[in-house]
Amino acid sequence: MSELLALLLRASLWLLVAMLLVALLRPLLLRLGGAVVTYRSWCLLPIVLLAVALPAPQLAEMVTVPALLMPGIGHGSSAASAGAQAGWSYAVLAVWAAGVMLTAARGWRAQQRFVRALGPLVKRQDGSWQASADPGLPALVGLWRPRIVVGPDFDLRFSPAEQDMVLQHERHHRRQGDHWANGGLLLLRCLFWFHPLMPWAARRFLQDQELACDARTLDPHPALRRLYATALLKAQLARPVAPMACHWRCQPLLKERIAMLKQSERKPLPRMTGKLLVVTLCAIVGTAAWASQSAAPPAAGSQQVQVRKMSAPAYPSAAFEQGQTGVVTVQVDVDAQGQVRDVRVVSATNPGIFEEATLAAARQWTFEPAMKDGRPVAAAVRVPVTFALDDDSGTRISVD
């Protein structure tokens, strides 16, 4: 349970980093590649979450040897502490799960309310569907089988040319899979309902989605900007009410959409520059999020491998007679009982001299196993063994 909490915390922190980066880079992306490239920058959020969820880099732990641990001492307090931590983890997870279910229920209820408000749908010759009522249309409605739904007065409100532009807009939503993106957004809002920046990110994402769709619709028809703006103004202003629908009209975004139509007269820099920036950003931040797992602190109820018994290896006589010194680093695989299962040499500063003695001694070592969620687990550790000669011609072997 504590592992899941640690994953949620790590994902929330990296989600915060991704949101801030998107917000900071948005003006630059708009200038370099326009609205389409800016919308694609939101791919950084799922990429970061995927990177955090992937298995962590398997790096062996470096161990420093304290005073030898005596078996059986301190285990009672550790068990009590682990029990208290487990109880706290269950309580936090219960609160999180309740928030997830509540947010999902609210989203589902809003979607169903919107679908019911449409009334009976009638198939039109242009491939769209006409609703009996207008709770916020035109819109692309649905997830598995998305349909373009228009209001009952669609033919009266818009001219044939304007109707064509509106339908092209919604077809671009469907072609680009924006309905799936909105479904993913709803999933993120459920899982991270507690995140302080999630409401802002959701609003900004949907706004960038509409701006990108406007740009895709107008790119083949740059002379129809005025017609497109007129169609936007004719639509009754309303706020989106369905979480999994791509609405044509959106009151908070109308001014920005009109302004972007004016700016589209100025051709942006080559979009490949903006696309390259987005790909580079996603690669760098995603890699950092994945690699950061190896540096994450252990979760509650966890601990690293600790030494129980570690005897120093014998100093090889030939090496002593020749005055040779060196450091051998071995990797020790420790099972859940604290017994050594495998030992192998990682590096040696004086190859071929001290490896055999080190391996022979390491096979006799015993450890306190690593703990994860209050349970012993297998782990691997790296132990450097130093072979040195004192000034008085004595030997000194240290296990660090």
Side-chain angles (χ1 to χ4, degrees), residues 10 41 55 77 83 115 127 145 159-160 174 177 220 226 280 301 323-324 333 342 354-355:
R10 191 163 58 248
S41 68
S77 59
V115 172
R145 298 176 59 186
S159 68
R174 183 169 56 191
R226 185 178 297 274
T280 304
Q324 293 181 330
D333 294 335
D342 187 32
F354 301 103
E355 288 93 322

Side-chain angles (χ1 to χ4, degrees), residues 154-165:
F154 184 67
D155 294 326
L156 299 176
R157 178 175 297 178
F158 300 98
S159 68
E162 292 168 348
Q163 292 176 30
D164 182 63
M165 297 299 291

